Amino acid sequence: MVVTVGTCLLVAFGSTAAETNKSDPMTLKEAFKNDFLVGAAINLDQIYGRDSKGVPIIETQFNSISPENVLKWEVVHPKPDKFDFAASDAYVNFGERNHMAIIGHTLIWHSQTPAWVFEDVNGKPLDRQSLLNRMSNHIFTVVGRYKGRIKGWDVVNEALAEDGTLRESNWKKIIGDDFVEKAFEFAQAADPNAELYYNDFALENEAKRNGAIALIKKLQKQGVKITGVGLQGHYLLTEPGLKQVDETISTIAALGVKVMITELDVNVLPSPARAFLGADVSQRYEARAGLNPYTNGLPDSVQQQLARRYAGLFSIFLKHRGDISRVTFWGVSDGDSWLNDWPVRGRTSYPLLFDRNHAPKPAFHAVIESAVDTQASTSSGGELVEKAGAHKN
Ligand code: G3I
């Protein structure tokens, strides 16, 4: 089959289960135009146009972008009296040039935040009021700069521990549990029209999800604006089960907030420890035999497994298309992915829809096909049904 990607025509590899019944060249953003935005996290080379193969894919396939790193505190506010907006300005300009929904990631996170943020001039822990002042200054400066241009912000990122309690971060230790609502209040004041999100990983796990639900309800009860919840979607080939993903979207949407899949990828590599879900950047493991099995390419059987996994996930996203406003992939091509370096450094990972040569993978076709199938089913008056066997993946 032939698929239009970027400015060139690519002939996809042999006929596979995931490639059947597709006659029309179609892009991701066209395929889901009646369902949700489709985004990609973009890196510095893409922001500055140096990635000559990646940029045309971003411009052609996606209608939303997220900054993989350039709006994190350590990049944009490296020193107490120094903000650096060079890369983030270029990022926002990229999105505006391409008429995309531009996402801000992230304002308050325990990671990628310099140590000085939590210390006074003598290197001693800051007091609550001084840290609140620092948080307020950061949020007003960063959100204020892009007021009316950035559509929505991951205001607070990964505040929850795996048991659903608030993580013992410096934000919590110094300010207290209300650091979350304070961050949302500052963000709302800085740009009253921006969408404001809580973003986290592994909310498919019940204990953590319950913690998120309690957190969102607390904000709502206090009258604090929260527009949506980002499920990061750093998934494995078999976990979480589609039923878990389905239930998670339903329960979060029932709170009356938008649901977004904000950092989607599927890790096909072996887990160094008992299969774990998530994206805790502090979790690291040494390389050892067997952990990097596909250095010469992904075997077709795994390629097909990945395609089926993506098809299953998108069948769930489409089922919830009334509640899901955006699905964003965490990167463009396999070579870009953070999963080449986490949780084991230097692996060859295959988590995305485009391969290292920027060609669409069977998973790309499977995702497009899920949209085509849904349109066909809806327009023929049929119920949206999940693909046979989808729950097995
Ligand atoms: O920019 C420096 C560069 O100057 C230096 O030479 C190089 C040497 O290692 O490091 C570069 O910074 C790296 C940065 O990515 C840009 O490539 C950092 O070391 C590295 O830690 C950082 O990793 C990012 C990670 O967040 C931590 O910020 C990943 O790219 C990014 O994909 C990942 O994204 C997070 C989300 O923000 C939140 N959810 C989980 C997700 C995956 O971890």
Side-chain angles (χ1 to χ4, degrees), residues 68-69 72 74 105-106 109 111-112 157-158 199 201 232 234 263 279 281 284 330 338:
E68 187 174 6
N69 288 302
K72 290 174 182 172
E74 69 178 6
H105 171 87
T106 175
W109 190 20
S111 189
Q112 274 45 61
N157 194 45
E158 301 170 12
N199 192 51
F201 59 80
Q232 290 188 4
H234 293 295
E263 304 185 11
V281 287
R284 294 268 172 204
W330 205 242
W338 72 294

